[in-house]
Amino acid sequence: MKILTLTPGSVTLADLETVFRTGAAVRLDPACHPAVIEAQTRIAAAANGNAAIYGVNTGFGKLASVKIEAGDTATLQRNLILSHCCGVGEPIPKGHARLMMVLKLLSLGRGASGVRMELIALIEAMLAQEVTPVIPAQGSVGASGDLAPLAHLAAVMMGHGEAEYRGETLPGATALQRAGLKPVALGPKEGLALINGTQFSTAFALAGLFGAWRAMTSALVTSALSTDAIMGSTAPLQPEIHALRGHPGQIEAADCMRNLLTGSVIRESHREGDTRVQDPYCIRCQPQVTGAAMDMLRMAARTLEIEANAATDNPLVLVGADLIVSGGNFHAEPVGFAADMIALALAEIGAIAQRRVALIVDPVLSHDLPPFLTPDPGLNSGYMIAEVTTAALMSENKHLANPCVTDSTPTSANQEDHVSMAAHGAVRLDRMVANLERILGVELLCAAQGIEFRAPLSTSAPLARVMDTLRQSVGTLTEDRYLAPDLEAAAALIRNGDVTASTAINLPELST
């Protein structure tokens, strides 16, 4: 297994996407170890002192005023983890759980949490040996940390809970034993350091971001295919138009579409004598809509990259100021905003793509393509209901895109009286990405079918390569057949990045 060495505080989105997509293990740069050790020394001293330090020698939340005796600090941390294992619902995917573990490593590695190196070493070893805690998807409100899901992670480190190991779900202690690892007994503040933080919400938001960006770049490709299929104009892609407005995403989207369509014989065939003056907005305004989504995703990406490198537990050990201070870095409001932004982008990319599908299958608007893209309409229905499916998915995404961060509710006897709901906002993104991938898959099928009806006129070389990739998985629709596998195969080409890779041109990158 590949092992990446990451430096807390300077990890990039590309690093995190590699972890998420490849399942790579992670170790922290040893340069961070002295700071970790120094912070732990300060916590150990505080645990033996008389001053009340939250979470070190006091209770938690509403019980913070209860002083804990020095001999009970280990029991305090154990009880904290076990009592907070209140997650419910289906287990989260393995890739998300591993990314969550990596994010927790990065937070602890900032040297402000006060944990022993043994905890960091155990998380690193669990990643290397593929011991993955079973973490229920529901139970976090995204403030005071993602408490319940992170408690399920910490429980496995203590030999409790459940973990997946080599394809088998086992009791936590058994999974550790089979991997040659030993559970830890938590010291002062260590339980709190493990469960305070935004790593669950941030992991899901990052997964949504990575999927959204891949879908967005695929949408640039499918939209170019659709433009050629309906013999649309490339005049709205003129660079001066977009320069005059100035939005970076819009400029990039138009530039990308021009590159994709350059060399199309179909396009050249109707430059003269075309009686249409303007195309509908779903064709003409593609750079403005997809480009705006691109800008939105990059804004969310900047927030999530900062959050991935942050120390987000409480209290924090401020070595330079010689303080141990309670704050609120566990509040996931920035992640909640980022998740809502990603959701809006996903919904709008899908909304305009669905209108392109509706355009292509409509003989009134598609510039002489046959109804529903079947050569024998009436006897055959072609892509009639595939278009309806895209409408259903588009509508679902619009509902899911409603903001979550505004839906605060007080918890923990009003001690935690404003929460971010970042976990809700981030978890829904997986479903939204999957919906968008299927919408774009249907657009890919319809646009390719439409272009084939334009023969002997041909599309551009990059788009022809995309069609070749599609036809290796899904044949031309000559008569009605069982279509569900075709839709899933096309969606897989979007999800796996095959559509964008087959263009063999440079497409916009998330980090600029």
Side-chain angles (χ1 to χ4, degrees), residues 464-502:
R465 289 191 290 269
V466 173
M467 292 180 59
D468 288 343
T469 297
L470 171 64
R471 291 301 175 227
Q472 291 172 25
S473 299
V474 181
T476 301
L477 189 65
T478 56
E479 60 183 5
D480 283 354
R481 61 177 182 248
Y482 185 59
L483 276 179
D486 293 3
L487 270 59
E488 287 305 312
L493 294 175
I494 302 291
R495 181 169 55 255
N496 297 332
D498 297 319
V499 166
T500 51
S502 61

Side-chain angles (χ1 to χ4, degrees), residues 424-445:
H424 295 72
V427 167
R428 68 177 157 169
L429 297 178
D430 280 354
R431 185 176 182 89
M432 294 186 71
V433 168
N435 287 344
L436 178 55
E437 289 164 350
R438 291 185 170 100
I439 293 170
L440 297 175
V442 172
E443 183 181 16
L444 176 64
L445 292 169

Side-chain angles (χ1 to χ4, degrees), residues 71-432:
D72 291 329
T73 55
T75 302
L76 175 71
Q77 300 300 314
R78 174 188 176 277
N79 289 350
L80 172 71
I81 297 304
L82 299 182
S83 68
H84 282 56
C85 285
C86 292
V88 298
E90 294 297 314
I92 68 175
K94 180 179 178 180
H96 294 61
R98 287 178 63 85
L99 182 56
M100 183 176 161
M101 294 167 72
V102 170
L103 293 171
K104 177 52 72 176
L105 265 182
L106 294 172
S107 182
L108 298 178
R110 290 299 302 271
S113 298
V115 302
R116 292 167 296 157
M117 283 300 304
E118 287 90 334
L119 267 69
I120 288 174
L122 180 56
I123 298 174
E124 291 175 340
M126 289 169 65
L127 288 165
Q129 298 298 322
E130 296 192 75
V131 177
T132 307
V134 174
I135 300 170
Q138 295 169 278
S140 175
V141 295
S144 197
D146 290 314
L147 295 172
L150 283 166
H152 284 273
L153 188 163
V156 174
M157 298 173 65
M158 297 163 54
H160 295 275
E162 292 184 321
E164 180 190 336
Y165 178 65
R166 296 187 176 178
E168 192 176 358
T169 299
L170 302 166
T174 304
L176 290 174
Q177 182 183 37
R178 290 193 185 179
L181 305 175
K182 294 181 179 180
V184 294
L186 299 179
K189 190 189 171 291
E190 290 182 333
L192 199 59
L194 288 172
I195 68 170
N196 267 181
T198 66
Q199 286 77 37
F200 175 87
S201 298
T202 305
F204 271 88
L206 284 167
L209 174 69
F210 299 145
W213 191 264
R214 181 170 284 182
M216 183 280 300
T217 53
S218 298
L220 292 173
V221 178
T222 58
S223 64
L225 279 165
S226 294
T227 300
D228 235 13
I230 63 106
M231 302 186 92
S233 174
T234 55
L237 303 178
Q238 190 70 19
E240 291 84 354
I241 295 173
H242 308 287
L244 281 168
R245 197 172 197 186
H247 292 295
Q250 178 179 328
I251 293 168
E252 281 187 81
D255 182 61
C256 179
M257 291 186 67
R258 283 197 309 275
N259 291 337
L260 287 165
L261 286 159
T262 296
S264 168
V265 178
I266 295 173
R267 173 63 187 112
E268 296 305 318
S269 72
H270 62 96
R271 283 191 184 273
E272 303 293 334
D274 194 332
T275 58
R276 296 171 297 171
V277 177
Q278 292 180 329
D279 292 316
Y281 285 1
C282 67
I283 297 295
R284 192 178 0 142
C285 299
Q286 291 170 94
Q288 287 80 359
V289 176
T290 307
M294 190 187 307
D295 287 339
M296 182 82 78
L297 291 173
R298 282 182 175 145
M299 284 189 278
R302 284 192 288 272
T303 294
L304 294 176
E305 187 173 62
I306 292 169
E307 189 72 9
N309 284 285
T312 57
D313 71 278
N314 182 62
L316 293 173
V317 183
L318 310 180
V319 173
D322 195 24
L323 294 172
I324 301 173
V325 181
S326 288
N329 279 4
F330 50 68
H331 199 297
E333 193 84 355
V335 182
F337 277 125
D340 282 348
M341 292 163 69
I342 295 167
L344 289 170
L346 287 166
E348 281 300 278
I349 295 167
I352 195 169
Q354 198 283 326
R355 296 316 306 155
R356 294 193 296 267
V357 173
L359 184 74
I360 298 172
V361 301
D362 186 343
V364 176
L365 300 174
S366 65
H367 200 55
D368 301 326
L369 291 175
F372 305 108
L373 301 168
T374 177
D376 189 10
L379 179 62
N380 293 282
S381 296
Y383 285 114
M384 178 190 295
I385 303 305
E387 184 271 328
V388 175
T389 296
T390 66
L393 296 173
M394 173 195 68
S395 184
E396 182 177 318
N397 270 7
K398 288 196 288 187
H399 285 284
L400 288 170
N402 282 297
C404 292
V405 78
T406 56
D407 191 29
S408 177
T409 187
T411 62
S412 193
N414 282 307
Q415 178 75 2
E416 298 155 10
D417 59 353
H418 181 279
V419 299
S420 72
M421 294 299 181
H424 295 72
V427 167
R428 68 177 157 169
L429 297 178
D430 280 354
R431 185 176 182 89
M432 294 186 71

